[in-house]
Amino acid sequence: MELVVQVRRIDDPASETDEYRVLIGRIWPEGISSAQVHVDQWMKDLSPSEVLLQKSNSFSEFCAAYQKELRADEKKRRCIIQLLEKAQNHRVTLLHVEEASSKAQATVLQNFVKTVPLPKILVLFASEMGNTLAIAQEMAKGVRQAGIIPEVKDAFGATIDDIKKFDAFLFGSGTTGDGELPDEAQDIYDDLDELDLKGMPCAVFGAGDTSYELYCEAVNTIHSKLVELGGDLILPDFKVDFSMSEEEEKQALQLGKQFAETLWDRSIQKNTQQISIR
Ligand SMILES: Cc1cc2nc3c(=O)[nH]c(=O)nc-3n(C[C@H](O)[C@H](O)[C@H](O)COP(=O)(O)O)c2cc1C
């Protein structure tokens, strides 16, 4: 899907296609009152550093150095994640002021946001009674809030080729027997050995029951396997005693969002597309 990110001068008339207007630049534009213009969000932190603004001799030098700052600076990456999340569902308009450096900033940002690769996320679940499924759905909702549409798939019948299509996955399972994996999860669990997860971001969750001696043991079993295969567990394990409380629903949603945002953050840091505006 092609992201729509437009660039406009703040005092140009707003267009019908402006769905979410973001002002860039550290200082509010001189001579313009906030009542005159529509701004949905002011992202001051996206501003290039003072050193960069003073030092760059040419546009190409500025572009290269600013892109480096966008990747390296955590506050800037936070802003870009917000832009990316918005841009999945809205036309985003970046508003700049008259100066050439402000226009250059907007153009670099526009291209940068458009070239960040969209992370592909799988939410795999094994659930006999529906409690782990409910967690999976809430986590998927959190992922969607971060602008990424995940695939939510029953572990029963899933293959490792399904996992290979994704950049990251969350694996949820209930526990049965004396701390065992349910049949629904067993096949895919056994097949995981054929995968080299080598730093692949993943996370584990599941429902159990504290009245059993081995509480949520399936979560522990899957966790150990993913670590053994080189997976990068980027969330703490999320365990629920039978069904989620309202508070746990919020936590599951938040964890899903955090998972997706961590992937966005990594995508931004890896975005080495060279953008030049000349
Ligand atoms: C036969 C049986 C054995 C179970 N053994 C365990 C166990 O060892 N540890 C645990 O934490 N929960 C155990 N449970 C509880 C389930 O894990 C719990 O009900 C959970 O909600 C099931 O997840 P699901 O709804 O996604 O299927 C067991 C449940 C059944 C019916």
Side-chain angles (χ1 to χ4, degrees):
M1 188 190 67
E2 174 81 11
L3 296 188
V4 182
V5 181
Q6 344 180 72
V7 167
R8 206 184 296 291
R9 240 175 77 156
I10 188 160
D11 47 354
D12 281 349
S15 149
E16 289 176 354
T17 63
D18 290 5
E19 290 178 354
Y20 196 77
R21 289 165 57 92
V22 178
L23 175 62
I24 56 170
R26 210 186 305 279
I27 300 160
W28 185 267
E30 222 176 293
I32 293 177
S33 86
S34 54
Q36 272 176 285
V37 287
H38 178 85
V39 173
D40 292 297
Q41 196 170 354
W42 182 10
M43 291 192 179
K44 295 181 202 177
D45 286 335
L46 279 174
S47 303
S49 65
E50 286 303 321
V51 180
L52 199 161
L53 284 171
Q54 282 157 21
K55 257 193 177 173
S56 304
N57 297 318
S58 66
F59 272 131
S60 57
E61 210 179 295
F62 170 81
C63 288
Y66 185 40
Q67 284 166 65
K68 216 167 158 189
E69 284 192 354
L70 293 177
R71 284 192 290 271
D73 180 308
E74 200 182 328
K75 279 189 180 164
K76 289 187 176 55
R77 292 204 308 273
R78 288 290 332 152
C79 290
I80 296 194
I81 291 171
Q82 284 181 41
L83 284 176
L84 284 162
E85 289 175 359
K86 272 286 164 207
Q88 306 306 313
N89 304 307
H90 299 81
R91 290 163 196 268
V92 171
T93 305
L94 300 172
L95 304 167
H96 63 89
V97 294
E98 199 178 338
E99 285 96 66
S101 62
S102 176
K103 169 99 192 281
Q105 184 199 341
T107 311
V108 172
L109 271 172
Q110 178 190 37
N111 288 301
F112 191 89
V113 170
K114 282 178 150 188
T115 50
V116 173
L118 176 75
K120 293 196 285 283
I121 299 179
L122 171 69
V123 182
L124 202 59
F125 67 91
S127 184
E128 289 176 301
M129 286 178 272
N131 295 318
T132 304
L133 170 61
I135 307 172
Q137 285 168 336
E138 218 50 45
M139 286 184 140
K141 208 193 276 181
V143 171
R144 278 193 288 276
Q145 282 192 2
I148 300 171
I149 313 281
E151 185 165 331
V152 181
K153 199 170 174 61
D154 196 325
F156 184 70
T159 67
I160 52 163
D161 285 334
D162 291 323
I163 298 178
K164 281 184 190 163
K165 286 188 265 172
F166 293 86
D167 301 307
F169 71 109
L170 300 112
F171 192 168
S173 176
T175 299
T176 192
D178 293 326
E180 285 151 30
L181 293 176
D183 289 345
E184 288 82 355
Q186 195 63 55
D187 284 353
I188 186 74
Y189 174 84
D190 292 340
D191 290 350
L192 282 176
D193 281 325
E194 295 167 39
L195 273 179
D196 178 1
L197 295 178
K198 250 195 295 182
M200 186 173 184
C202 44
V204 191
F205 61 94
D209 187 331
T210 42
S211 63
Y212 286 84
E213 198 179 326
L214 297 168
Y215 175 58
C216 281
E217 189 62 12
V219 172
N220 302 336
T221 306
I222 295 169
H223 178 117
S224 303
K225 174 64 74 186
L226 297 184
V227 169
E228 182 194 318
L229 297 171
D232 180 7
L233 284 122
I234 61 174
L235 294 181
D237 292 347
F238 185 61
K239 297 176 179 174
V240 169
D241 188 7
F242 200 67
S243 62
M244 283 185 290
S245 62
E246 263 182 46
E247 192 48 44
E248 284 167 332
E249 279 182 17
K250 285 186 201 144
Q251 276 176 33
L253 184 124
Q254 198 46 45
L255 285 169
K257 190 164 185 223
Q258 187 185 327
F259 189 84
E261 290 189 336
T262 304
L263 289 173
W264 272 134
D265 199 44
R266 292 182 180 191
S267 268
I268 292 167
Q269 291 179 65
K270 279 195 229 140
N271 186 24
T272 50
Q273 299 271 346
Q274 281 312 304
I275 299 152
S276 170
I277 58 166
R278 281 219 141 173

